[in-house]
Amino acid sequence: MAARAAPGLEGAPQHEQISHTKLSADDEWNLQQERMYKMHRGHESMHVEMVLIFLCALVVAQIVLVQWRQRHGRSYNLVTLLQMWVVPLYFTIKLYWWRFLSMWGMFSVITSYILFRATRKPLSGRTPRLVYKWFLLIYKLSYAFGVVGYLAIIFTMCGFHLFFRIKARDSMDFGIVSLFYGLYYGVMGRDFAEICSDYMASTLGFYSGSGMPTRSLSDDICAVCGQKIIVELDEEGLIENTYQLSCKHVFHEFCIRGWCIVGKKQTCPYCKEKVDLKRMINNPWERTHFLYGQILDWLRYLVAWQPVVIGIVQEIPRIQRTE
């Protein structure tokens, strides 16, 4: 009997194991979604509580950050910049995003060199133009990546990817990655450009963030780079023209545009009178660049502080379970 039962036992049906190597990328993604759904089934009340905690944390964090920025703007900007530099690096190493890590490393090395040049004393006459050229390049590249990423997302949502036989997930991934690259490096570039602008202007002595300038400005000297102005106001220059603000101070056109648009300054580098940016930006295409810069300033909170808020909210249920 035992000998006869053995073959029957051997022939009993067993659960078939699914080989992930035989699954396509779409099937594997669907399988992960199904497992996640089963894992969170029956925890609806906890999810509602998490959403409420997250919304309250967002409101409290926003109030705290606004008050910090108003009372101690310099420390807020430095900590925010450090956050934007370090937080993506942590997720990059954790998730093995080597492509982003290589671009982050290249950007960090070149920007560190530019920052080193901008903080040297005495300041070289070529340094301001070098600084503004680099960050203007970053600004334009980030603008291009942002536009391409946004169009790719709209392209996918409208179904145009089907005409080119591109998978929806691949097209959407390309759009999201391009948009993130554009916004992230755009924010980083503008913040570093602002720091370099402050250092260079303070070194030249024509600008002081807290008091009066230490040097008097001559009529033929540009307060941004400290170099002599050769082209007259009513004269057409071969390389660039001379620009005069409403306060009657004159500058190299490239210098004052770098100061205002790239360096995020809206006052005269010498007398701190407010600059009329609408008068400076006559080209409609340049106005879109200026609006893009404002959007980048608004997104600094999402890049720097949103991961911190989400991390705190995720730790609250763990603390409650341990108690």
Side-chain angles (χ1 to χ4, degrees):
M1 292 293 293
R4 293 180 181 178
L9 292 174
E10 291 177 358
Q14 297 180 358
H15 293 290
E16 186 177 351
Q17 298 292 330
I18 298 177
S19 176
H20 289 277
T21 58
K22 298 181 180 179
L23 293 177
S24 64
D26 293 335
D27 292 337
E28 187 174 355
W29 185 82
N30 292 330
L31 182 61
Q32 291 177 354
Q33 294 297 316
E34 184 179 354
R35 288 177 176 175
M36 185 177 297
Y37 175 75
K38 291 180 180 180
M39 184 185 303
H40 293 279
R41 185 185 300 171
H43 301 90
E44 287 79 8
S45 59
M46 185 182 70
H47 292 163
V48 173
E49 182 181 355
M50 286 289 296
V51 171
L52 294 176
I53 293 174
F54 177 68
L55 293 177
C56 292
L58 283 180
V59 174
V60 174
Q62 187 66 26
I63 295 174
V64 172
L65 291 174
V66 169
Q67 292 296 321
W68 182 13
R69 183 177 182 178
Q70 291 177 350
R71 298 173 184 270
H72 306 283
R74 187 176 181 84
S75 62
Y76 170 83
N77 291 331
L78 290 176
V79 174
T80 301
L81 181 59
L82 182 62
Q83 285 279 102
M84 289 190 296
W85 208 359
V86 174
V87 170
L89 178 62
Y90 167 77
F91 288 105
T92 296
I93 298 175
K94 183 178 180 180
L95 300 175
Y96 306 105
W97 292 344
W98 306 121
R99 180 176 53 190
F100 178 84
L101 182 61
S102 60
M103 294 185 64
W104 182 90
M106 183 173 60
F107 171 83
S108 299
V109 169
I110 300 177
T111 302
S112 299
Y113 171 73
I114 297 295
L115 185 62
F116 172 79
R117 289 284 302 272
T119 54
R120 295 303 93 194
K121 295 181 181 180
L123 186 69
S124 172
R126 298 180 179 180
T127 300
R129 289 179 177 271
L130 174 66
V131 170
Y132 290 131
K133 281 182 179 179
W134 167 247
F135 288 116
L136 182 61
L137 175 63
I138 294 297
Y139 184 73
K140 290 183 176 181
L141 288 176
S142 71
Y143 181 78
F145 270 93
V147 170
V148 170
Y150 175 76
L151 292 178
I153 294 173
I154 299 300
F155 180 87
T156 306
M157 294 177 65
C158 294
F160 292 134
H161 63 283
L162 298 175
F163 294 101
F164 299 92
R165 297 181 180 181
I166 302 175
K167 293 183 179 180
R169 191 176 67 175
D170 295 340
S171 179
M172 185 63 73
D173 287 347
F174 172 77
I176 293 174
V177 170
S178 299
L179 184 61
F180 172 76
Y181 276 24
L183 296 177
Y184 175 74
Y185 288 107
V187 173
M188 290 285 290
R190 281 174 65 82
D191 279 7
F192 274 112
E194 184 179 15
I195 293 175
C196 292
S197 298
D198 287 339
Y199 269 108
M200 291 187 301
S202 299
T203 301
L204 290 173
F206 297 119
Y207 172 84
S208 177
S210 57
M212 295 295 294
T214 57
R215 294 175 60 186
S216 59
L217 181 65
S218 303
D219 294 337
D220 59 345
I221 297 296
C222 174
V224 177
C225 66
Q227 300 299 305
K228 189 173 182 179
I229 296 176
I230 301 175
V231 182
E232 299 293 336
L233 283 173
D234 54 353
E235 183 181 351
E236 188 72 19
L238 294 177
I239 300 177
E240 66 176 341
N241 298 324
T242 300
Y243 191 87
Q244 185 181 50
L245 299 179
S246 57
C247 58
K248 304 304 179 183
H249 292 125
V250 293
F251 307 90
H252 297 120
E253 186 177 15
F254 183 84
C255 292
I256 193 62
R257 285 178 177 271
W259 172 267
C260 294
I261 299 175
V262 181
K264 299 195 300 182
K265 305 295 184 182
Q266 298 186 15
T267 57
C268 172
Y270 184 70
C271 67
K272 300 182 183 178
E273 181 176 325
K274 188 172 180 60
V275 175
D276 186 5
L277 294 176
K278 294 182 179 179
R279 175 173 167 264
M280 178 182 295
I281 304 173
N282 298 321
N283 191 337
W285 292 104
E286 290 185 353
R287 292 187 180 183
T288 60
H289 284 279
F290 177 68
L291 293 175
Y292 177 68
Q294 292 180 324
I295 294 174
L296 292 178
D297 291 338
W298 296 335
L299 290 175
R300 294 168 79 243
Y301 168 77
L302 296 178
V303 177
W305 296 106
Q306 193 76 357
V308 177
V309 175
I310 294 176
I312 294 174
V313 172
Q314 290 178 344
E315 289 296 327
I316 292 177
R318 299 176 184 177
I319 296 176
Q320 291 177 346
R321 286 196 295 267
T322 56
E323 293 177 353

